[in-house]
Amino acid sequence: MRVLVSGGAGYIGSHTVLALVAAGHDVVVVDDFSNAKPTVVGRLEALTGRHIPVHAFDLTDIDKTEHLFATDTIDAVIHFAGYKAVGESVQKPLDYYQNNLGSTFSLVRAMQRHDVDKLVFSSSATVYGTDQAGATEDRPTFATNPYGWTKVMQEQILRDIAVADPDMRIALLRYFNPVGAHPSGTIGEDPSDVPNNLMPYIAQVAVGRREKLQVFGDDYDTPDGTGVRDYIHVEDLAAGHVAALEKLAVTDEPISTWNLGSGRGTSVLELLRAFEKAVGRELPYEVVGRRAGDVATSYADPSKANAELGWSTQKTVEEMCADTWRWQSQNPDGYPD
Ligand code: UDP
């Protein structure tokens, strides 16, 4: 298939580009580089030995999106592009609704005009709201912040589209906590600001960019009192996208939902210890108060994806930490400008 990857220069998108090429697919990237560096593209080309066509524009631009579909032959779309910072979404809700929903509107419109029927959508465990422990796909969806609502709303919009147009083949992929990096150490997560997420924060402490980790609460009802999450290696996550895409080519279901996670929980302190092992030294941290909006425990029930996609996570927390550390130590300041 020739696959349009929106947000293909971003963290998960870039790893999925590699997985798609390795699986024999053609890739076209669209990315506005609002949260990605153009230098990632050269690295993807070095790893794949292929030219990766990249279109730099904002998908909410309906005319540019239409032009891309009119001038290329796209078989399927994987839609990663979107704003993703929870805290920022509380400050700028309108930006989040306009960008995340608007890009989906313009993409799906162009898909319909050009008879592209396969769409894999980046959703999130955030659609389980405060009920994320052992989540199965049939749980009711809701959110606790505007970012989460954009995911809940985009899922609903896509479900309605699938009812109206039963020829569509749509996958809603609910990610748990993506971490890790390509084993080459040349592709990885590169937050443009202070990291919001635990793993990139620990990595920046380890490389000396941040003084110490702040552990957001140790009084949760969890084995060691710190928050428990289902970390998934970004390469396993990328493989899940390829499996979902290939399933869309054969299924009769207009829309399917799959959790992508390991089914195992790891606490903040367990992840910190695993990272210290990868680095070979202790890392400074302090326990501070809880972060507003955090749940105690989040982990997937991935059995539906395991059974229907023939996919399961392969990589351990140790590998997630080792690969993250290789990326961070080889690229202390992230991608060059
Ligand atoms: N966390 C933390 N310090 C940080 C960032 C995160 O203690 O600097 C904790 C957070 O409270 C949660 C876990 O690490 O229990 C994972 O947080 P992250 O933001 O990576 O993922 P999410 O909360 O969105 O699942």
Side-chain angles (χ1 to χ4, degrees):
M1 286 181 249
R2 187 164 169 84
V3 186
L4 179 65
V5 183
S6 85
Y11 173 45
I12 304 170
S14 58
H15 288 84
T16 302
V17 165
L18 295 176
L20 287 164
V21 171
H25 299 290
D26 269 346
V27 171
V28 182
V29 167
V30 58
D31 201 302
D32 70 356
F33 294 97
S34 59
N35 192 28
K37 296 259 182 73
T39 47
V40 68
V41 178
R43 294 187 176 193
L44 291 173
E45 292 184 330
L47 286 168
T48 57
R50 296 257 293 266
H51 170 64
I52 310 275
V54 177
H55 300 271
F57 67 85
D58 179 342
L59 283 164
T60 61
D61 187 326
I62 294 170
D63 294 338
K64 286 183 179 159
T65 305
E66 166 60 25
H67 183 258
L68 173 58
F69 278 77
T71 52
D72 206 330
T73 309
I74 309 291
D75 299 307
V77 175
I78 304 185
H79 181 27
F80 292 103
Y83 295 160
K84 61 174 188 175
V86 172
E88 185 184 56
S89 80
V90 176
Q91 306 303 322
K92 302 178 181 174
L94 194 52
D95 287 1
Y96 271 67
Y97 289 117
Q98 194 157 338
N99 184 63
N100 290 6
L101 273 59
S103 61
T104 299
F105 293 151
S106 102
L107 254 183
V108 178
R109 283 258 184 234
M111 289 176 68
Q112 291 187 332
R113 272 195 296 266
H114 296 277
D115 295 320
V116 180
D117 57 5
K118 287 182 277 299
L119 173 65
V120 177
F121 175 66
S122 272
S123 189
S124 165
T126 197
V127 303
Y128 297 119
T130 51
D131 193 16
Q132 298 189 16
T136 50
E137 289 84 349
D138 53 1
R139 264 187 208 177
T141 58
F142 67 106
T144 57
N145 56 72
Y147 159 74
W149 280 116
T150 70
K151 293 297 181 188
V152 173
M153 289 178 186
Q154 287 175 96
E155 284 201 358
Q156 185 59 45
I157 290 161
L158 294 172
R159 271 191 289 274
D160 292 342
I161 289 168
V163 170
D165 181 359
D167 290 337
M168 287 295 287
R169 297 291 180 266
I170 300 174
L172 307 177
L173 301 185
R174 294 178 180 160
Y175 315 155
F176 281 70
N177 288 61
V179 298
H182 189 265
S184 66
T186 62
I187 303 287
E189 186 171 13
D190 182 16
S192 52
D193 214 327
V194 181
N196 295 304
N197 297 111
L198 178 62
M199 183 70 114
Y201 203 103
I202 295 175
Q204 291 196 4
V205 171
V207 84
R209 280 173 67 181
R210 313 262 160 222
E211 186 196 342
K212 59 183 158 189
L213 174 69
Q214 297 191 315
V215 175
F216 297 145
D218 66 352
D219 57 351
Y220 284 105
D221 184 16
T222 60
D224 65 15
T226 66
V228 167
R229 297 291 184 273
D230 184 341
Y231 296 97
I232 172 172
H233 195 293
V234 65
E235 286 208 301
D236 280 335
L237 188 57
H241 287 74
V242 177
L245 181 67
E246 291 175 353
K247 183 74 177 181
L248 292 187
V250 296
T251 186
D252 292 327
E253 297 288 335
I255 190 157
S256 312
T257 306
W258 290 295
N259 285 339
L260 298 183
S262 71
R264 282 181 300 276
T266 302
S267 76
V268 174
L269 290 178
E270 285 171 335
L271 193 73
L272 179 66
R273 297 299 170 226
F275 205 91
E276 288 176 336
K277 234 172 121 185
V279 178
R281 65 188 146 83
E282 289 194 0
L283 298 172
Y285 75 94
E286 64 176 340
V287 177
V288 299
R290 292 182 178 190
R291 181 171 66 180
D294 271 356
V295 296
T297 303
S298 169
Y299 63 93
D301 180 338
S303 47
K304 187 168 180 279
N306 298 163
E308 295 178 6
L309 302 178
W311 167 92
S312 60
T313 60
Q314 303 295 317
K315 300 203 179 217
T316 62
V317 168
E318 285 67 32
E319 290 171 283
M320 299 175 205
C321 293
D323 290 338
T324 301
W325 179 231
R326 193 176 305 107
W327 151 255
Q328 189 70 76
S329 51
Q330 289 180 20
N331 304 272
D333 298 313
Y335 292 108
D337 285 324

